Amino acid sequence: MIKFALVCHEGHEFESWFQNGAAFDRQADSGLILCPNCGSAKVAKAIMAPALASRSAAEPSPAQSTAPAEGAAPVALLQERDHELRAMINELRTRIFTDTDNVGAHFFEEASKIHQGLAPERPIHGLASFEEARALLDEGVGILPIPPAPADYN
Ligand SMILES: [Zn+2]
């Protein structure tokens, strides 16, 4: 069993247990996972935001870094005393959600358009599947997973 932090296209966050990653994909594709807040079936495992406005030249682009193991995601171990780090994560999340355009479930299309110069360049956030995120990273689009709120782990 594996617990995923999920978010619907309205931005409601919740958690659910699944037998494995494939079980999540099957249930999500079939519209079986519903947001407990609004009943939306547009639910994704991760929220992705491109770092279009903030990526510095010194940072290696995701496309150039070594590929992580299949299904791997960045993790951090935070203790109760790491309240400053928790506050920073909350601050980061707030900034992302307020300072970037919410494109909801259209993240993949919009990020692709921005990358191809077909849409105005700007920071956006929205929902992307693992496959969509991988495809964008392969194209050299600088996207970042948004960390779940630290309170989600409690
Ligand atoms: Zn919802």
Side-chain angles (χ1 to χ4, degrees), residues 54-78:
S54 60
R55 183 147 54 97
S56 78
E59 258 180 288
S61 90
Q64 289 162 346
S65 61
T66 49
E70 197 69 23
V75 290
L77 178 63
L78 296 187

Side-chain angles (χ1 to χ4, degrees), residues 7-14 34-43:
V7 63
C8 83
H9 76 300
E10 297 282 357
H12 304 128
E13 295 172 24
F14 57 102
L34 301 179
C35 169
N37 287 300
C38 68
S40 168
K42 285 184 191 168
V43 166

